[in-house]
Every structure is written in structure tokens, then in C-alpha cells.
């Protein structure tokens, strides 16, 4: 009997294990229900956390959570938490099925369902809803009132037959949620809160058959009353308020023509509005006026008013020539600073360009800051400073077509006089200190930082880093141009010190050169191969506090682990570990008035849910449960691998394997790549339909192994470099891992990865199938083309950046040919699937066509998917196309790598006459 009991106990665990349900493989149909967390927020006191939980297709949920309660609000999004931690306000989307039906219904196509507004009051858990909402606004501080704009509803007494003038604007509602008080305004065209919530500026308009009248009012939060400031025939725009709500400003035009000329008005709650700036103001360039296209804003201290100016708009001459008698052409001139395609893309922006100017309210002084040459001028101290940094890029624009550089000449701009003093020329990384006392720049020629005082009496140039025996640029840079610096962490409060990153640590440097450089992180980062970076928890803070504890994010280059340390920049001891693990931590937010943190933690198998803790990362708890269904599916494991490439270099990569592998089973493998990806070892990838690449989670769930190798490059030989890294890495995986089937390996890459895929199959038959998204196949024809998305010439890419040839087509023609897959097409024996869309603005569609027609002529198995009107990568909104690509790519690999039957579209294609009728699956 005892023996029977022992035997039974031994068998029970096996029996129970056998009864556990088997995990499912992911299917393409599973994609739509997989959810993402978006727009996470924490209240100022840290007691409430709000986030959206959205499926990839369908209706999402807005989640509101505190210590004792979770509320789920169907279809809520665009939420904001009141600054006093007492309510949230949010949009409510219409039901997705209603939207879908409206899209199908040809009668209602122009009448799509509208958003509603929701308000959730924490104290009594009361919800208030308003239909047909357009927008809402909350003040940044002291948010007692909510302002929201509703679509104008037809009045009951409006006669259908009566011809009435349609009034501008919509209905504005001001609501005090706690008390339920509300106030309404009709015909509102614009509204804006002061930062501190004391007042709201409101613009209204009415019109009759001959004229338009505009009204500007200010609503006072404390009293709940509004004061009409101005009623005038004409147009009022761009109303703004000072932070304290005492001053207001707006633009006004009384012109009746389309090309309206505006004047800038300003006043206070007790002083009527006066014209500050118009075309006759002293200091404004001749023929210029305040522009409706520029931003208007007060400095934080309320002493200055900033605006944009531009040439006075002139009425267009009356058109007396029929359209068919006008020539329509673009004239390309070799002297143009920008190519015609770029000019056309930027034409609307240039037509609306404005130049920054400032008005000093106390002295009634106008100063034009930007001008035709120095178009951009930045401010400091939230507009309080009296100097700024401007730049002129015109000397370098023409050459940027082939250099790819964005260099500029920089000027210190005196805001009181408008005088501009040239500081440095032909630089791309220049910074003005927060107090305006110093300029710091990076000099690529010697890879060093330099500083100069803005004081006209102290113009010595100070070398900051030249004598420090570490590099301040990206040492792993491998394109034929100058490497970028690691950047500036920040400044001390008084501008006395600047904090600059090397690869691992933070250095304190004196811009006057009087004090020696100090490694503020005590070389802790370099000694441990850990990168330390300052985390700015207070968005309003313009300096790094030196006497307070600050947070540092960390990245371990050996294990790819991440976490957080804390330190004081004036401390003697090394940074102190708070949390570090084999996860990717990020998205950190701090409660403005509390010691609570909100952050994200993820790795390959852990969904990036929200976590909260105190400032020391203690008492950490998971806030969200994004995808509980994940436990029912097979999921990948990720391993960091290293190998020696064919050039003797040690490289890293990531190997993704199915969660549970059967012993003595051979698994097919997909090799995916771009450049370097190993630092994403702990990044989670949820299942989603492809925009251009394989979904690693989906493929491993379906019993594929996925290998992602890092690639390093030698100038002039990008194809060979890819071969040396990818093929050596593939061979290493085959040799080390017996579960990989060496006869069943596929390649996949998009864009630069697509080029490398196309090139590799001309050099080796190691791979059973390959999928290349948007590949460059012929560098000689691609070199002189245009990147239509930006209007830029493609030359710089081949000479100086990603394509890495390192010279012009006429200087190095053989390298362009050698690195072009098209010229090696007869050597291809690997079946190739391409996706290349006909609206690709990055890699010309004809590159895919050139490769396709060459392989077709050579009787090589090749297919090309062209999604009509789609760009380089399928956009998020193109759900049907993304699902289609995922299905076809999966069918392609399954046929060649898993020996499944080929679908109809691969066997016999889909004729053009069947387009839209048959998908050929």
C-alpha cells in the first residue's frame, strides 16, 4: 500500500503537467486585439495614474487608477489631469463600428461621427459627458475651470427655407466641475488660458451680408465673470495672455480683402488695448507688419511680448489669362541654394515664414531680432533673457545637397538693440548657456569642445576637452563623415560650469578655463562600461541642480541591462545604484509635487507595462496589465551572442528562439538586420502587422528562430561589410546551435536592410529565401536621384552617410558598380520577394523595378509587392495593407523554408483585371 502511494505521488506532478493547456502560436488574426499603452500621466500629487489601453484595431479604454480604485472609461483618449488633482477631462471617440458604417455609407461619408467630451470627478466618481466636442483646454496651473469648444448646433427656430448668414465659430462652454457651474459663449473662433489659470482670452465673431465684427473678452476665473475688452468691425486673431493673466495681446485687421494687414494690440484688465506694432512702428523693416502666421507670446516675467513679422501681404493681381494659356513648369537653376523639389515641399512654409521680433512693454520699444539672413533666433530663460542665439545657414545650403551637413554661422543677438555679433562659423553643434553668459560649441576638426564668453570684453576662446584623455565623440561611428559628439548634459544654475558627456561619464568643465576638468561620476561609467546620463524630472528646470540628488539613467554595454543611479554632482562618492536589471527601463515621469515616479519596464517576454515607485525605486508596483492574454501564447527568449567576423572583429547580435523547443528538432531561421541592433536585447516587440519587416515575436511563436546580427562598415565597401558580418554571424549560429536547420534559413531587411539583403543573395547561396523591402539595387542610377519625402538630393547619402561609398560617382564609379546588386544579378539563385511602394519618398520605386525586371529576364524566382500610394514603410493607418504584407511574407517564407504549398499569388500571380476581386491567398 505504501509503495502504491509513493508511486501515485511520483506520478501526480507528471499528470498535472500533462493537463496544462498547450500554448498557442500567434496568428495574424491575433494582431488586432493586442493592446498598447499610450499617453501615461501621473497627477501632480502622485495619487492618480491615467493611461490609454488601446487595441491595434477597435475601441480602446482610458484607465484611471489610484490606491483603492480602478476606473475604465470606454473609448476615452487625449486625457488631461487637473492641476489640483481633482478631475480628468478627455475626449471620447465614437464607436469604431459606427465610424466603419459611416465610411461605407456613401450618403453619410461627409458626416462622420464626432468625439464627445468626458469629465471624471475623482471626489464623487461622477462622470459628465458632452456630445460633439471639438477641443478642450486646461490652464497649466490652478485648473478650476475647463474650457471646451462644441460644434454649433442648429437652432430650433432656424427656418429651413430662410436664407441666413452662417455665423463663424462654435460654442464655447466654461465648466467648473466640482460645483457644476457653466457659462456659454457663441461664435467662438479662438480661446486661450493664461498659464496660472486666472483668465481666459476669448475671440468671437459675427457677420452679416456686408461685414464681420470681432469681439475680444477676458473671462476671470475667480469671479466667474467675463469682461468685453474690444468690439470692432474686422478680424481679431492670436489672442494670448501673460502667465499671471493680467496682460493680453492680439492681432487686429480691419481690411476686408483676403490679404489682411494686422496690427499688434495689447492691454491689461484695467487698461484698454493700444496698438503696439504696425507697419509704421519705429524699428520694423520697411514694408513689414505683424504677421498672422507668427506666434505671439509673453516672456515668463511679463516684461516682453514676442511676435512674428513679415512683409506686408499684397493683393494678388487679377488673373486675366485662361489656365490653358499659362505655361506650367519648374525652373531648376544651378545657383539655387535648394533644389526645386525641396523648394516646392517647403513653399507653403516659406510663404508663411515670419521673423522673430520683441516689444518691451515698459519702455515701449520694438526690436526686430531675426532678419532675411538670420532667419532663426532662439530665446533663453523662457523669454526673460536679453540675448539669444541666431544662425545663418545660407553659405552652406547649396553644398549640403552632397555633403549632408547642416552647418551654420552663429550669431549672438542682443535683444535690446537687435545687434548681431558673429560668434563661430561653419559649425553644426553650438549652444548658448541658460543665463546667456557663454557659447559652447563642438569642433569636428579636433573632436573637442570650446567655449567663449558673450561678454564683449572677454573674447578668448577656451579649449574645454582637448587635454582630457577620453573621446567626446561617438567612437563607433563608421560612416565617411565627422562623428557626432555625445552631447551636453546641462549647466549649473549660474552658468559657472557646463556638464558634458563622454561615452560613459559626465564631466564638469569651466567655460572660463580657470578650473581643471572634473569627472563628476568618478569614472564609474568608464571603469564598468556603463553609460550614465542625466534624467531631467522637472521640465521647467533649466539647469542641473548641483546641491541636490539627481537621477542618472544607466546602460550596461556588456549585458545591455539598464536602470537608474542617483548622485550629487558635488558629491565625493561614486553614483549609488537604485535599480538595474536585464530589462529596458524608460518613460520615466515624476509627480510634480510628490515623490512618486511612473516608469516602464520591459524585456522580450515582459510587456512594457507601467510601474510606480518612490524616488528610490522602492515599494515598486505594477500599475497596468496591458496584455494578460500573452501567457496563452508561445513567446520568444532572447540571448546575446558574440562571434568573430571574417575581418577578425568581435561582433554582437541577438538570437531569438521559441519559448519551448523540442529536443532533437531542427528549426528554420530568419536573419533580420539593419545596422546595429544588439542594444535592443531587452526591447519587447508585441505582435503587430508588418509595416516592412518581420515581427520577431510572431515568427518565433510560429517555431522560427530569428537572428539579428550587428554590422560594422568599411568605407567604400558596404556590401562586403554586410557580408563579412551577416554571413559570419549566420555561420557562427549554425556551428554553435545544433537546433538551427542550416538548409532552411531566410533573409529579411527593409530599406538599408533591403539593400543588404539584395546584395547578399548575389554573393552566397547560403539562404533558402530572401525578402527585401525597398532595396537600392543600382547605386549608379540612385545616386543622382531625389529623396522625394524631403526634396533632397541622394548624393550625400552615398558619399557621406549610410551608403558609405565615400566619394562621387565620377571619382569612384567602380565602387558604385561593385556595391550594386543589379550588376551581379546573374549570380542570384535565392528566391526573392520585394516590397517597393509606388509613393516611396526615400528609395525610388524604380530601384525595385530595376531588380525585378533583371531577375525576371534571367528566369530567377522573384515577386514584388507594390502598395498603391503608400510610402517607404506602410503607415500605421494602413491596416489592411499591413495585414496583407504580413500574410504574403509569411506565406513566402513558409513555402521556401517550411515546404508549405505556394499560394496562388506566388504560383500564377494576380492579373490586373482581377485587381480588387481576388487576393490570391
Amino acid at each position: 500500500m505504501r509503495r502504491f502511494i509513493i508511486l501515485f505521488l511520483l506520478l501526480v506532478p507528471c499528470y498535472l503537467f500533462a493537463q496544462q493547456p498547450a500554448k498557442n502560436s500567434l496568428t495574424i488574426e491575433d494582431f488586432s486585439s493586442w493592446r498598447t499603452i499610450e499617453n501615461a500621466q501621473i497627477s501632480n500629487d502622485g495619487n492618480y495614474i491615467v493611461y490609454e489601453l488601446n487595441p491595434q484595431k477597435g475601441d480602446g479604454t482610458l484607465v484611471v487608477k489610484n490606491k483603492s480604485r480602478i476606473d475604465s472609461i470606454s473609448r476615452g483618449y487625449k486625457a488631461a489631469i487637473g492641476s489640483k488633482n481633482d478631475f480628468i477631462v478627455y475626449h471620447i471617440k465614437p464607436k469604431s463600428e459606427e465610424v466603419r458604417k459611416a465610411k461605407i455609407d456613401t450618403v453619410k461619408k461627409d458626416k462622420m461621427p464626432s468625439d464627445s467630451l468626458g469629465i471624471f470627478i475623482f471626489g464623487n466618481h461622477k462622470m459628465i459627458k458632452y456630445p460633439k466636442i471639438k477641443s478642450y483646454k486646461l490652464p497649466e496651473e490652478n485648473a478650476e475651470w475647463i474650457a471646451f469648444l462644441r460644434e454649433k448646433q442648429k437652432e430650433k427656430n432656424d427656418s429651413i427655407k430662410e436664407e441666413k448668414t452662417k455665423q463663424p465659430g462654435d460654442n464655447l462652454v466654461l465648466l467648473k466641475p466640482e460645483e457644476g457651474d457653466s457659462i456659454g459663449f457663441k461664435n467662438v473662433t479662438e480661446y486661450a488660458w493664461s498659464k496660472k489659470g486666472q483668465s481666459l482670452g476669448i475671440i468671437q465673431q459675427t457677420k452679416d451680408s456686408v461685414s464681420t465684427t470681432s469681439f475680444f473678452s477676458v473671462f476671470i476665473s475667480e469671479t466667474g465673470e467675463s469682461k468685453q475688452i474690444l468690439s470692432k468691425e474686422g478680424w481679431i486673431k492670436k489672442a494670448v495672455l501673460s502667465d499671471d493673466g493680467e496682460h493680453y495681446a492680439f492681432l487686429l485687421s480691419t481690411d476686408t480683402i483676403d490679404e489682411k494687414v494686422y496690427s499688434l494690440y495689447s492691454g491689461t484688465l484695467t487698461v484698454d488695448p493700444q496698438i503696439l506694432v504696425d507697419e509704421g512702428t519705429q524699428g520694423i523693416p520697411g514694408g513689414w507688419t505683424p504677421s498672422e502666421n507668427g506666434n505671439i507670446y509673453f516672456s515668463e516675467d511679463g516684461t516682453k511680448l514676442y511676435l512674428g513679422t513679415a512683409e506686408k501681404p499684397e493683393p494678388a493681381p487679377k488673373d486675366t489669362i485662361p489656365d490653358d494659356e499659362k505655361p506650367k513648369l519648374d525652373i531648376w537653376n544651378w545657383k539655387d541654394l535648394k533644389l526645386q523639389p525641396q523648394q516646392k515641399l517647403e513653399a507653403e512654409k516659406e510663404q508663411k515664414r515670419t521673423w522673430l521680433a520683441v516689444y518691451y512693454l515698459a519702455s515701449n520699444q520694438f526690436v526686430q531680432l531675426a532678419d532675411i539672413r538670420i532667419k532663426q533666433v532662439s530665446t533663453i530663460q523662457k523669454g526673460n533673457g536679453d540675448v539669444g542665439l541666431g544662425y545663418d545657414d545660407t553659405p552652406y545650403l547649396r553644398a549640403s545637397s552632397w555633403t549632408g551637413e547642416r552647418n551654420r554661422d552663429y550669431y549672438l543677438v542682443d535683444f535690446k538693440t537687435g545687434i548681431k555679433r558673429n560668434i563661430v562659423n561653419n559649425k553644426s553643434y553650438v549652444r548658448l548657456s541658460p543665463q546667456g553668459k557663454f557659447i559652447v560649441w563642438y569642433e569636428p576638426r579636433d573632436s573637442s569642445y570650446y567655449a567663449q564668453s558673450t561678454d564683449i570684453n572677454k573674447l578668448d576662446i577656451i579649449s574645454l576637452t582637448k587635454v582630457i584623455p577620453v573621446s567626446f565623440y561617438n567612437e563607433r561611428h563608421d560612416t565617411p563623415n565627422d562623428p557626432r559628439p555625445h552631447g551636453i548634459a546641462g549647466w549649473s544654475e549660474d552658468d559657472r560650469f557646463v556638464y558634458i558627456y563622454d561615452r560613459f561619464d559626465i564631466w564638469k568643465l569651466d567655460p572660463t578655463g580657470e578650473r581643471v576638468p572634473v569627472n563628476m561620476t568618478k569614472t564609474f561609467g568608464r571603469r564598468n562600461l556603463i553609460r550614465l546620463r542625466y534624467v531631467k524630472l522637472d521640465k521647467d528646470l533649466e539647469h542641473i541642480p548641483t546641491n541636490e540628488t539627481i537621477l542618472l539613467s544607466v546602460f550596461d554595454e556588456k549585458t545591455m541591462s539598464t536602470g537608474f543611479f542617483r548622485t550629487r554632482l558635488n558629491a565625493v562618492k561614486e553614483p549609488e545604484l537604485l535599480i538595474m536589471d536585464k530589462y529596458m527601463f524608460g518613460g520615466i515621469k515624476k509627480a510634480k509635487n510628490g515623490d512618486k515616479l511612473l516608469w516602464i519596464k520591459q524585456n522580450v517576454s515582459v510587456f512594457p507595462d507601467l510601474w510606480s515607485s518612490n524616488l528610490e525605486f522602492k515599494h515598486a508596483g505594477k500599475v497596468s496589465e496591458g496584455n494578460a492574454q500573452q501567457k496563452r501564447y508561445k513567446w520568444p527568449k532572447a540571448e546575446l551572442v558574440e562571434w568573430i567576423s571574417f575581418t577578425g572583429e568581435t561582433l554582437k547580435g541577438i538570437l531569438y528562439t521559441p519559448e519551448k523547443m523540442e529536443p532533437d528538432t531542427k528549426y528554420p531561421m530568419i536573419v533580420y538586420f539593419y545596422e546595429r541592433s544588439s542594444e535592443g536585447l531587452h526591447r519587447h516587440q508585441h505582435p503587430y502587422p508588418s509595416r516592412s519587416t518581420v515581427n520577431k515575436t510572431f515568427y518565433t511563436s510560429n517555431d522560427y528562430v530569428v537572428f539579428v546580427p550587428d554590422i560594422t562598415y568599411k568605407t567604400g565597401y558596404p556590401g562586403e561589410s554586410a557580408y563579412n558580418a551577416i554571413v559570419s554571424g549566420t555561420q557562427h549560429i549554425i556551428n554553435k546551435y545544433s537546433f538551427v536547420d542550416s538548409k532552411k534559413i531566410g533573409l529579411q531587411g527593409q530599406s538599408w536592410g533591403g539593400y543588404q539583403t539584395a546584395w547578399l543573395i548575389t554573393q552566397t547561396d547560403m539562404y533558402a529565401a530572401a525578402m527585401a523591402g525597398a532595396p537600392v539595387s543600382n547605386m549608379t542610377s540612385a545616386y543622382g536621384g531625389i529623396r522625394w519625402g524631403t526634396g533632397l538630393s541622394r548624393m550625400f547619402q552615398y558619399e557621406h552617410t549610410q551608403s558609405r561609398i565615400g566619394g562621387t560617382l565620377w571619382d569612384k564609379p567602380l565602387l558604385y558598380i561593385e556595391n550594386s546588386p543589379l550588376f551581379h544579378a546573374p549570380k542570384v539563385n535565392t528566391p526573392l520577394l520585394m516590397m517597393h511602394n509606388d509613393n516611396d519618398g526615400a528609395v525610388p520605386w524604380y530601384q525595385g523595378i530595376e531588380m525585378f525586371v533583371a531577375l525576371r529576364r534571367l528566369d530567377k524566382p522573384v515577386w514584388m509587392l507594390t502598395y498603391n500610394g503608400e510610402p517607404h514603410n506602410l503607415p500605421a493607418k494602413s491596416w489592411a495593407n499591413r495585414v496583407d504584407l504580413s500574410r504574403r511574407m509569411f506565406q513566402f517564407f513558409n513555402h521556401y523554408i517550411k515546404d508549405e504549398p505556394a499560394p496562388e499569388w506566388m504560383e500564377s500571380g494576380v492579373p490586373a483585371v482581377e485587381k480588387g476581386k481576388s487576393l490570391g491567398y
Side-chain angles (χ1 to χ4, degrees):
M1 183 67 178
R2 183 181 176 190
R3 181 180 175 188
F4 174 79
I5 292 172
I6 293 172
L7 181 61
F8 176 78
L9 291 173
L10 288 172
L11 291 174
V12 165
C14 298
Y15 173 80
L16 292 176
F17 177 79
Q19 294 304 304
Q20 290 179 351
K23 291 190 175 184
N24 301 321
S25 294
L26 287 161
T27 67
I28 290 174
E29 288 68 31
D30 292 320
F31 291 160
S32 60
S33 62
W34 223 269
R35 299 183 293 186
T36 57
I37 292 173
E38 299 173 75
N39 302 322
Q41 303 171 58
I42 187 168
S43 60
N44 286 345
D45 62 4
N47 290 331
Y48 288 90
I49 291 170
V50 177
Y51 59 92
E52 295 170 26
L53 193 54
N54 294 322
Q56 296 183 82
K57 193 170 179 61
D59 295 328
T61 302
L62 182 68
V63 180
V64 183
K65 185 170 185 176
N66 68 3
K67 289 181 180 179
S68 58
R69 182 182 173 110
I70 301 176
D71 289 279
S72 297
I73 301 169
S74 179
R75 306 188 312 282
Y77 76 117
K78 286 186 180 178
I81 306 174
S83 60
K84 293 189 174 182
N85 318 296
D86 49 359
F87 64 82
I88 62 165
V89 58
Y90 50 92
H91 280 242
I92 303 171
K93 290 181 181 179
K95 292 180 180 179
S96 57
E97 188 57 33
E98 291 178 1
V99 175
R100 184 173 183 273
K101 286 179 180 177
K103 289 178 179 178
I104 296 171
D105 191 332
T106 54
V107 177
K108 296 181 178 178
K109 251 182 186 176
D110 295 332
K111 297 180 179 179
M112 299 298 291
S114 302
D115 279 7
S116 298
L117 183 80
I119 301 162
F120 179 50
I121 302 170
F122 296 151
N124 56 16
H125 303 107
K126 182 181 178 182
M127 287 193 185
I128 308 169
K129 295 182 181 179
Y130 291 85
K132 303 213 177 273
I133 183 73
K134 281 196 162 183
S135 65
Y136 75 82
K137 292 181 182 179
L138 287 180
E140 192 172 323
E141 301 174 18
N142 305 310
E144 294 182 354
W145 293 82
I146 302 169
F148 56 93
L149 205 59
R150 300 182 65 192
E151 294 177 18
K152 187 175 293 183
Q153 303 299 301
K154 189 173 183 179
E155 300 287 347
K156 289 183 180 179
N157 58 359
D158 282 355
S159 169
I160 296 176
K161 295 180 181 179
E162 185 182 351
E163 289 287 336
K164 297 185 69 174
T165 302
K166 185 177 180 182
Q167 295 300 309
D170 291 285
N171 296 328
L172 180 72
V173 178
L174 297 176
L175 177 69
K176 202 168 189 177
E178 291 284 358
E179 300 173 14
D181 296 341
S182 66
I183 302 170
F185 299 84
K186 290 185 176 182
N187 307 322
V188 174
T189 56
E190 293 183 32
Y191 64 111
W193 282 106
S194 64
K195 178 181 177 181
K196 297 183 179 179
Q198 290 95 331
S199 54
L200 176 78
I202 303 168
I203 300 175
Q204 297 166 278
Q205 283 183 3
T206 60
K207 64 187 297 187
D208 56 29
S209 59
V210 295
S211 64
T212 296
T213 302
S214 294
F215 308 85
F216 176 66
S217 304
V218 175
F219 171 79
I220 311 301
S221 298
E222 185 177 2
T223 63
E225 298 176 348
S226 62
K227 178 181 179 181
Q228 189 175 102
I229 302 297
L230 182 68
S231 169
K232 195 170 181 66
E233 191 172 307
W235 285 262
I236 297 176
K237 284 190 171 185
K238 299 287 178 95
V240 294
L241 295 157
S242 59
D243 284 5
D244 61 10
E246 293 296 319
H247 288 77
Y248 57 79
F250 54 82
L251 296 176
L252 171 64
S253 174
T254 56
D255 293 337
T256 57
I257 59 175
D258 290 340
E259 296 80 6
K260 294 176 176 58
V261 176
Y262 285 88
S263 300
L264 177 68
Y265 284 70
S266 183
T268 71
L269 298 179
T270 57
V271 176
D272 290 340
Q274 304 292 322
I275 294 180
L276 299 188
V277 185
D278 61 14
E279 59 181 317
T281 298
Q282 184 177 355
I284 197 168
W288 284 31
T289 63
S291 172
E292 63 177 310
N293 298 314
N295 292 323
I296 302 172
Y297 56 97
F298 287 91
S299 59
E300 185 182 52
D301 61 14
T303 62
K304 303 186 196 70
L305 182 57
Y306 292 92
L307 68 150
T309 60
E311 287 188 54
K312 177 181 175 180
E314 297 290 345
K318 187 176 180 180
D319 196 348
T320 59
I321 303 174
D323 221 33
D324 60 356
E325 295 182 16
K326 300 175 186 175
K328 296 178 178 63
L329 77 164
D330 303 322
I331 299 175
W332 298 46
N333 189 308
W334 69 283
K335 296 179 183 179
D336 286 345
L337 297 181
K338 295 181 180 180
L339 291 170
Q340 278 288 317
Q342 185 179 1
Q343 291 184 47
K344 290 170 70 175
L345 283 171
E346 297 176 0
E348 183 178 359
K349 182 183 74 173
E350 289 298 324
Q351 287 164 1
K352 294 182 177 180
R353 179 181 288 280
T354 62
W355 285 261
L356 185 67
V358 64
Y359 191 91
Y360 285 81
L361 295 169
S363 60
N364 296 319
Q365 179 190 10
F366 170 88
V367 183
Q368 183 67 48
L369 301 175
D371 57 37
I372 295 297
R373 190 164 56 93
I374 301 172
K375 297 178 181 179
Q376 299 289 338
V377 176
S378 61
T379 65
I380 58 173
Q381 301 171 35
K382 300 174 185 174
N384 294 345
D386 285 326
V387 293
L389 192 63
Y391 67 80
D392 174 18
D393 60 359
T394 52
Y396 314 103
L397 279 178
R398 187 169 176 272
S400 68
S401 284
W402 52 85
T403 66
E405 297 290 343
R406 296 294 179 265
N407 290 352
R408 301 158 174 170
D409 296 338
Y410 285 86
Y411 294 79
L412 186 71
V413 182
D414 186 322
F415 281 18
K416 290 184 177 179
T417 64
I419 294 173
K420 302 166 183 67
R421 175 159 57 90
N422 183 224
I423 300 291
V424 289
N425 294 327
N426 199 15
K427 301 290 181 291
S428 61
Y429 191 96
V430 180
R431 300 293 183 269
L432 177 63
S433 64
Q435 299 297 318
K437 296 178 181 177
F438 297 95
I439 297 282
V440 170
W441 67 91
Y442 178 77
E443 176 54 74
R445 284 178 295 184
D446 60 6
S447 306
S448 300
Y449 282 95
Y450 290 84
Q452 186 181 58
S453 172
T454 59
D455 186 337
I456 193 70
N457 298 310
K458 301 175 182 178
L459 296 182
D460 291 341
I461 295 177
I462 307 300
S463 174
L464 297 179
T465 60
K466 199 169 185 179
V467 298
I468 302 175
V470 297
S471 297
F472 286 85
Y473 61 88
N474 179 12
E475 303 99 303
R476 301 193 302 174
H477 178 84
D478 59 6
T479 59
N481 60 0
D482 292 322
R484 302 297 182 191
H486 291 291
I488 294 175
W491 292 75
S492 61
E493 186 171 10
D494 57 0
D495 279 4
R496 187 71 180 85
F497 297 102
V498 59
Y499 300 96
I500 296 182
Y501 296 124
D502 70 15
R503 179 172 174 178
F504 300 105
D505 291 295
I506 304 174
W507 291 79
K508 182 174 79 172
L509 303 167
D510 180 359
T512 68
E514 294 174 2
R515 299 192 182 187
V516 297
V518 178
N519 189 305
M520 300 309 293
T521 45
K522 314 298 183 288
T523 69
F524 178 84
R526 185 165 294 275
R527 283 184 282 114
N528 294 281
L529 299 182
I530 292 176
R531 296 180 211 151
L532 302 169
R533 297 295 182 258
Y534 168 61
V535 179
K536 184 178 180 179
L537 295 176
D538 183 349
K539 66 181 179 64
D540 292 324
L541 200 62
E542 294 191 331
H543 64 275
I544 299 180
T546 53
N547 296 317
E548 300 173 19
T549 299
I550 62 171
L551 193 64
L552 301 176
S553 66
V554 296
F555 180 87
D556 189 325
E557 290 192 356
K558 305 183 298 297
T559 65
M560 313 304 173
S561 296
T562 69
F564 296 96
F565 280 57
R566 67 179 176 184
T567 191
R568 287 175 182 260
L569 289 182
N570 60 358
V572 176
K573 60 182 182 180
E574 293 181 342
E576 177 186 356
L577 173 66
L578 295 175
I579 185 172
M580 192 166 184
D581 208 341
K582 293 181 179 179
Y583 295 94
M584 185 176 284
F585 296 94
I588 191 162
K589 295 180 174 68
K590 177 188 175 295
K592 185 174 182 179
N593 303 320
D595 65 350
K596 298 289 182 63
L597 294 176
L598 182 65
W599 38 277
I600 292 170
K601 170 184 174 182
Q602 63 176 302
N603 66 19
V604 169
S605 58
V606 173
F607 177 78
D609 274 303
L610 298 170
W611 290 68
S612 66
S613 69
N614 62 16
L615 296 179
E616 297 178 346
F617 291 87
K618 293 179 179 178
H619 311 296
K622 189 161 74 164
V623 173
S624 63
E625 188 65 59
N627 287 293
Q629 78 275 20
Q630 179 179 316
K631 60 181 176 289
R632 303 198 303 267
Y633 292 90
K634 297 177 185 176
W635 216 255
K637 296 184 293 184
E639 176 185 347
L640 189 67
V641 295
E642 286 190 359
W643 72 97
I644 305 298
S645 77
F646 292 152
T647 59
E649 185 177 4
T650 301
L651 296 178
K652 290 183 172 71
I654 308 172
L655 186 68
Y656 298 90
T657 54
E659 183 176 14
K660 190 175 181 182
M661 302 177 71
E662 297 296 329
D664 303 321
T665 299
K666 292 283 189 180
Y667 287 83
M669 183 168 75
I670 301 292
V671 183
Y672 166 78
F673 40 81
Y674 192 75
E675 290 185 346
R676 297 189 192 198
S677 303
S678 62
E679 291 189 0
L681 174 67
H682 302 306
R683 181 175 286 112
H684 187 89
Q685 185 174 78
H686 65 270
Y688 58 80
S690 176
R691 296 178 67 176
S692 56
T693 63
V694 294
N695 183 285
K696 296 181 279 290
T697 298
F698 174 72
Y699 274 78
T700 51
S701 185
N702 284 277
D703 295 324
Y704 279 89
V705 172
V706 179
F707 174 49
V708 185
D710 281 354
I711 307 165
T712 57
Y713 298 91
K714 177 183 176 183
T715 296
Y717 301 92
E720 182 182 308
S721 299
Y723 178 93
N724 289 334
I726 296 166
V727 176
S728 67
T730 304
Q731 193 62 56
H732 169 78
I733 298 299
I734 293 170
N735 294 340
K736 182 175 181 180
Y737 300 95
S738 60
F739 54 76
V740 173
D741 189 339
S742 63
K743 304 294 185 185
K744 300 293 182 180
I745 300 177
L747 286 175
Q748 203 279 321
Q750 159 72 7
S751 191
W752 181 239
Y755 157 71
Q756 293 172 113
T757 298
W759 200 86
L760 280 173
I761 62 173
T762 71
Q763 305 298 309
T764 178
D765 295 336
M766 172 183 270
Y767 302 98
M771 192 279 177
V776 166
S777 61
N778 181 358
M779 289 191 176
T780 67
S781 61
Y783 171 79
I786 298 293
R787 294 182 67 95
W788 295 108
T790 60
L792 298 174
S793 164
R794 297 175 56 81
M795 289 181 174
F796 74 89
Q797 178 182 327
Y798 291 90
E799 295 176 36
H800 297 289
T801 61
Q802 192 173 62
S803 298
R804 297 173 169 89
I805 298 298
T808 66
L809 178 61
W810 44 90
D811 285 337
K812 300 187 176 183
L814 296 182
L815 286 180
Y816 281 83
I817 293 171
E818 179 182 337
N819 286 283
S820 296
L822 182 69
F823 293 98
H824 307 281
K827 295 185 285 184
V828 173
N829 295 310
T830 305
L832 176 65
L833 172 67
M834 291 185 288
M835 178 193 80
H836 213 138
N837 302 326
D838 54 17
N839 194 32
D840 192 325
V843 177
W845 181 33
Y846 60 71
Q847 288 293 308
I849 295 172
E850 287 190 47
M851 192 69 179
F852 178 84
V853 297
L855 293 178
R856 175 176 177 268
R857 176 172 178 171
L858 291 164
D859 267 342
K860 311 286 186 178
V862 61
W863 296 261
M864 186 166 73
L865 308 175
T866 295
Y867 292 96
N868 302 147
E870 295 284 33
H872 190 54
N873 295 289
L874 294 176
K877 65 181 181 180
S878 296
W879 181 264
N881 285 343
R882 292 171 60 201
V883 168
D884 184 84
L885 173 61
S886 299
R887 195 179 303 280
R888 294 187 197 278
M889 184 158 48
F890 195 47
Q891 289 175 336
F892 171 77
F893 280 128
N894 284 346
H895 172 63
Y896 282 108
I897 295 181
K898 287 190 172 183
D899 300 320
E900 294 184 5
E904 180 185 343
W905 67 270
M906 289 180 63
E907 285 285 6
S908 53
V910 177
V913 294
E914 291 296 314
K915 183 177 178 179
K917 302 174 186 177
S918 171
L919 294 173
Y921 293 150

